[in-house]
Amino acid sequence: VDQKQSLVIENVTADDVAEAAGVSRWTVARAFKTDASISAKTRKKVLAAADRLGYVPDLLAASLASDRSNLVALLVDDFSNPHKLLVLERLTRVVQHEGWGTLLFNTSDQLETQPALLAASQRRVDVAVLIGTRFDEAIIDTALGARKLKKLVIFARASQNPNTLSICCDDDAAIREMTAHVLEKGYKRPVFLAGPDTQSAKLIRKETFVDLWRQERGDMPEVVHVPQYNYSLAYQVVLETLRAKPREELPDLLFCENDVLAIGAMDAIRQGLGLSIPGDIGVIGYDDIEAASAPAYNLTTYRQPITAMAEALVKILKSSSEPAGNLLLQGRFIVRGTT
Amino acid sequence: VDQKQSLVIENVTADDVAEAAGVSRWTVARAFKTDASISAKTRKKVLAAADRLGYVPDLLAASLASDRSNLVALLVDDFSNPHKLLVLERLTRVVQHEGWGTLLFNTSDQLETQPALLAASQRRVDVAVLIGTRFDEAIIDTALGARKLKKLVIFARASQNPNTLSICCDDDAAIREMTAHVLEKGYKRPVFLAGPDTQSAKLIRKETFVDLWRQERGDMPEVVHVPQYNYSLAYQVVLETLRAKPREELPDLLFCENDVLAIGAMDAIRQGLGLSIPGDIGVIGYDDIEAASAPAYNLTTYRQPITAMAEALVKILKSSSEPAGNLLLQGRFIVRGTT
DNA sequence: TTGTAAGCGTTATCAT
DNA sequence: ATGATAACGCTTACAA
């Protein structure tokens, strides 16, 4: 009997509340909407009844009936960069604050992207957000082609696809500002430390820096690629690259595509080679991860406007239109002690 | 007309497929279940029709009808430790592989825990997983009291609540193994570097180490608390603590509650104080985050069995029973160069 | 092995 | 401001 009772209590529906409050089911629903046309008195009565019975609206049923799930899918393909944690924190915080839920998909395995997109659409997510470094742009066309997804947004990466909306930091402007700083400081022989050299992703940061430098100084800076955005690999690659050079040909600056690479580089320079920063070699990163501001690194870097980017996403969520193009937001250059 | 057509295409239901294949709606459902009683021939026919029409089952409707959402809620209250990224990666990977979806909730703000739990139950998640360092155990009782949640699991932390199930690393056994190592290496004056000294969370690692040490050596090791599990704070605290000591009273070992603290400590020791590791002071961590295996740190640490823990969670998901207690899994001691 | 009928708990439409 | 009725797309239980 005891168990039966608790089972009965478990599923209080709007009908139960309606009966208890002596109104229709619809009125109950209205009482829970902020902008419904309902008298204050009725609402109070309904809410009291709901509270008494322990009623809370069922979001699943609501989604089914309204065709709005209030769910955003986040597809993440790289869990090794601590910066992702910052992105996830901001995104979930903002989205959640606006009443949406967050469905997280792991697409570390490239082959998982398509199934994840499908699963997201089967759950009727209002928008799918691609947060990735490695995914192929071709996936976008397939996803849009399927027509199942309501909206698709590329986050923290510019898209070449004209039918998609991307929300990202204005890398171009950022690199311009950083390059100006570097030139002003009088660096002469920079090396650009980049991530994997894939053809699918357009490496804006690298290209912008190389172009600008050539334009301003006339020579092509050397570019070194690390096969993954990974601390240890960066350490290794930098160590090997610099060891191979005679002392007088060492670069005086390592311009790194992100902080993870920069920090690997710093440790290689200091502990691997016994050189000093910025005395012997300057280092500059991108992202402003936590370690960047740590006393041991104190890295000059660039902070992406993550919160603003998350808020832009919410704005898209709320809007009924389907905009496309690249939404560029301005970040902030953080000059610290490594340049 | 064009638009209308695409709109029509958007919502293909099981009924449409049933009609196209000349079977009942239920048979269509059966064709999509792996373990249904349906003839191979019929299934093939149905799947062909479904494929032709572009039909995929609607998970929302399925959840509503079956009262199983195939969704697990992850409540995360700390996004600063990179180890969380590892946990999220494994958890999403395993859960997703078994056909479940992952709902991520940000409970950085303590006050968000209760609403998140409520939101999770409103979406009828099959299980809510608390992945946290800071939440109060009292929340568990409230959550269980509400009776809305089907299951509640504490992840990567032992629970004192007898009604809850927790899945975590056997910290006690881990610390025992590590302490034995430390004793064998001949360390004499250890300092335990712990996180915030709250009364809500029982700091098993600290307690086990302190007890063991006293038992084996007769003296109480000093315990130093860092107000947050945070690199920079650890750096600061360690620097100040060690600077305040005369040279001969310096500890010969820093036994750290986790890697983030350990790495902050290492940088403080080397760069802040100019001492060497393990020459002057040994350091030992916990978690085996990526930086721990990096050449610059090469930290002796302990790896939690995250994958096994994630698999244990799935097993619970699949089981219909509601077990309680602490499920302890064995990790692995990783001896590197800092001890 | 396959089909039928009755839910699941909302929202939408239209009327009052 | 409130109510009646029909969706939403699936599963469950049972019948054939």
Side-chain angles (χ1 to χ4, degrees):
Chain A
V1 178
D2 233 316
Q3 210 180 4
K4 222 175 197 171
Q5 236 174 13
S6 77
L7 278 177
V8 170
I9 289 170
E10 264 195 84
N11 261 10
V12 184
T13 76
D15 275 325
D16 301 330
V17 178
E19 197 185 333
V23 296
S24 77
R25 191 198 324 167
W26 217 153
T27 303
V28 174
R30 274 191 270 256
F32 278 89
K33 297 191 108 176
T34 46
D35 55 345
S37 62
I38 182 175
S39 72
K41 197 178 129 195
T42 313
R43 166 171 280 148
K44 200 177 155 190
K45 184 174 64 180
V46 171
L47 291 181
D51 193 50
R52 188 152 25 87
L53 298 176
Y55 167 78
V56 277
D58 184 316
L59 262 37
L60 224 47
S63 299
L64 179 61
S66 69
D67 199 29
R68 267 176 283 102
S69 62
N70 269 239
L71 234 34
V72 7
L74 261 35
L75 311 219
V76 177
D77 74 355
D78 170 31
F79 287 80
S80 69
N81 190 337
H83 187 242
K84 278 280 149 48
L85 218 38
L86 192 65
V87 171
L88 284 178
E89 201 278 330
R90 295 295 160 76
L91 232 30
T92 49
R93 175 194 292 277
V94 173
V95 162
Q96 192 166 310
H97 189 256
E98 297 286 336
W100 263 270
T102 308
L103 220 37
L104 180 64
F105 289 93
N106 180 344
T107 53
S108 299
D109 187 342
Q110 287 287 50
L111 299 172
E112 288 294 319
T113 308
Q114 201 72 268
L117 244 17
L118 179 63
S121 74
Q122 286 185 279
R123 297 212 186 258
R124 300 211 195 174
V125 299
D126 293 333
V127 60
V129 182
L130 256 42
I131 311 178
T133 45
R134 292 162 24 204
F135 66 82
D136 196 330
E137 293 257 334
I139 208 84
I140 299 170
D141 289 313
T142 332
L144 290 172
R147 278 284 73 195
K148 274 286 184 181
L149 276 172
K150 296 177 198 161
K151 285 179 183 171
L152 185 67
V153 172
I154 316 279
F155 198 82
R157 202 231 237 194
S159 163
Q160 270 96 68
N161 190 313
N163 299 317
T164 322
L165 175 69
S166 85
I167 299 174
C168 61
C169 177
D170 190 344
D171 280 358
D172 193 81
I175 299 292
R176 271 172 205 286
E177 191 176 350
M178 296 166 90
T179 306
H181 166 83
V182 156
L183 285 165
E184 194 192 323
K185 286 275 176 179
Y187 287 103
K188 298 277 189 309
R189 293 184 312 284
V191 160
F192 191 92
L193 189 66
D197 189 14
T198 58
Q199 53 279 70
S200 67
K202 201 178 165 195
L203 301 175
I204 292 183
R205 297 178 198 165
K206 179 182 84 178
E207 288 177 11
T208 308
F209 175 73
V210 169
D211 288 354
L212 265 178
W213 185 269
R214 201 180 35 186
Q215 212 169 292
E216 295 290 329
R217 306 266 323 167
D219 59 318
M220 282 284 276
E222 182 181 347
V223 174
V224 173
H225 285 277
V226 181
Q228 271 178 55
Y229 293 101
N230 170 293
Y231 170 97
S232 298
L233 282 171
Y235 184 101
Q236 263 179 256
V237 168
V238 169
L239 199 61
E240 282 164 19
T241 307
L242 298 192
R243 274 210 177 125
K245 292 181 191 293
R247 180 94 200 186
E248 67 277 9
E249 283 181 25
L250 281 181
D252 58 1
L253 175 74
L254 248 49
F255 199 119
C256 308
E257 201 182 329
N258 71 28
D259 285 354
V260 170
L261 298 182
I263 281 172
M266 283 184 72
D267 284 342
I269 292 169
R270 290 204 287 218
Q271 284 161 57
L273 296 164
L275 297 175
S276 80
I277 298 170
D280 297 311
I281 303 183
V283 176
I284 193 164
Y286 204 104
D287 279 348
D288 195 29
I289 62 176
E290 218 191 309
S293 62
Y297 295 105
N298 196 29
L299 178 67
T300 293
T301 186
Y302 196 91
R303 186 184 302 158
Q304 297 192 50
I306 314 274
T307 305
M309 288 160 68
E311 279 158 1
L313 177 65
V314 168
K315 197 169 286 171
I316 289 163
L317 266 177
K318 288 176 162 175
S319 88
S320 51
S321 66
E322 209 165 332
N326 289 332
L327 180 57
L328 297 178
L329 297 168
Q330 302 304 315
R332 199 151 76 80
F333 188 30
I334 315 276
V335 180
R336 294 207 183 91
T338 55
T339 49
Chain B
V1 178
D2 233 316
Q3 209 179 5
K4 222 176 197 171
Q5 236 173 12
S6 75
L7 278 177
V8 169
I9 290 171
E10 263 193 86
N11 261 11
V12 184
T13 76
D15 275 325
D16 300 331
V17 178
E19 197 185 334
V23 296
S24 76
R25 189 197 326 162
W26 206 172
T27 303
V28 174
R30 274 191 270 256
F32 278 88
K33 297 191 109 178
T34 44
D35 55 346
S37 62
I38 183 175
S39 72
K41 196 177 132 198
T42 314
R43 166 172 279 147
K44 199 176 157 192
K45 184 174 64 177
V46 171
L47 290 181
D51 193 50
R52 188 150 26 86
L53 298 175
Y55 167 79
V56 277
D58 184 315
L59 261 36
L60 222 47
S63 299
L64 179 61
S66 68
D67 197 30
R68 267 177 285 103
S69 62
N70 269 236
L71 233 35
V72 6
L74 262 34
L75 311 220
V76 178
D77 73 356
D78 170 30
F79 287 80
S80 68
N81 189 338
H83 186 243
K84 277 280 150 48
L85 218 39
L86 192 65
V87 170
L88 284 178
E89 201 278 329
R90 294 295 160 75
L91 232 31
T92 49
R93 175 193 293 276
V94 173
V95 162
Q96 190 167 311
H97 189 256
E98 297 287 337
W100 263 271
T102 307
L103 219 38
L104 180 63
F105 289 93
N106 181 343
T107 52
S108 300
D109 186 342
Q110 286 288 48
L111 298 172
E112 289 293 320
T113 308
Q114 200 71 267
L117 245 17
L118 179 63
S121 73
Q122 286 185 280
R123 298 215 186 256
R124 299 209 196 177
V125 299
D126 293 333
V127 60
V129 183
L130 255 43
I131 311 177
T133 45
R134 291 162 25 203
F135 66 83
D136 194 330
E137 293 256 335
I139 207 84
I140 299 170
D141 288 313
T142 333
L144 290 172
R147 279 282 75 194
K148 274 287 186 180
L149 276 173
K150 295 179 199 160
K151 284 179 184 172
L152 184 66
V153 172
I154 316 279
F155 198 82
R157 202 232 239 193
S159 163
Q160 271 95 67
N161 190 313
N163 300 317
T164 321
L165 175 70
S166 86
I167 300 174
C168 63
C169 176
D170 189 344
D171 280 359
D172 192 81
I175 299 292
R176 271 171 204 286
E177 190 176 352
M178 297 166 90
T179 306
H181 166 83
V182 157
L183 285 166
E184 193 193 325
K185 286 273 175 179
Y187 286 103
K188 298 276 190 308
R189 291 184 313 284
V191 161
F192 191 93
L193 190 66
D197 188 15
T198 59
Q199 53 279 69
S200 68
K202 200 178 166 193
L203 301 174
I204 292 184
R205 295 177 200 166
K206 180 182 83 176
E207 288 178 11
T208 307
F209 176 72
V210 169
D211 288 354
L212 264 178
W213 185 269
R214 202 180 34 185
Q215 213 170 291
E216 296 289 330
R217 305 267 321 167
D219 58 318
M220 282 283 278
E222 182 181 349
V223 174
V224 173
H225 285 277
V226 181
Q228 270 178 56
Y229 294 100
N230 170 293
Y231 170 97
S232 299
L233 282 172
Y235 184 101
Q236 263 179 254
V237 168
V238 168
L239 199 60
E240 283 164 19
T241 307
L242 299 192
R243 273 208 178 127
K245 291 182 192 292
R247 179 94 201 187
E248 68 276 10
E249 283 180 25
L250 281 180
D252 58 0
L253 175 74
L254 250 48
F255 199 119
C256 307
E257 201 182 328
N258 71 28
D259 285 355
V260 170
L261 298 183
I263 282 172
M266 283 184 73
D267 284 342
I269 291 169
R270 291 204 286 219
Q271 284 160 58
L273 297 164
L275 297 175
S276 81
I277 298 171
D280 296 311
I281 303 183
V283 177
I284 193 163
Y286 203 104
D287 279 348
D288 195 28
I289 63 177
E290 217 191 309
S293 62
Y297 295 104
N298 196 30
L299 178 66
T300 293
T301 187
Y302 196 92
R303 186 184 300 158
Q304 296 192 49
I306 315 275
T307 305
M309 288 160 67
E311 279 159 1
L313 177 65
V314 168
K315 198 168 287 172
I316 289 162
L317 267 176
K318 289 177 163 174
S319 88
S320 50
S321 65
E322 209 166 331
N326 288 332
L327 181 57
L328 298 178
L329 297 169
Q330 303 303 316
R332 199 151 76 81
F333 187 31
I334 315 275
V335 180
R336 295 206 183 90
T338 57
T339 51

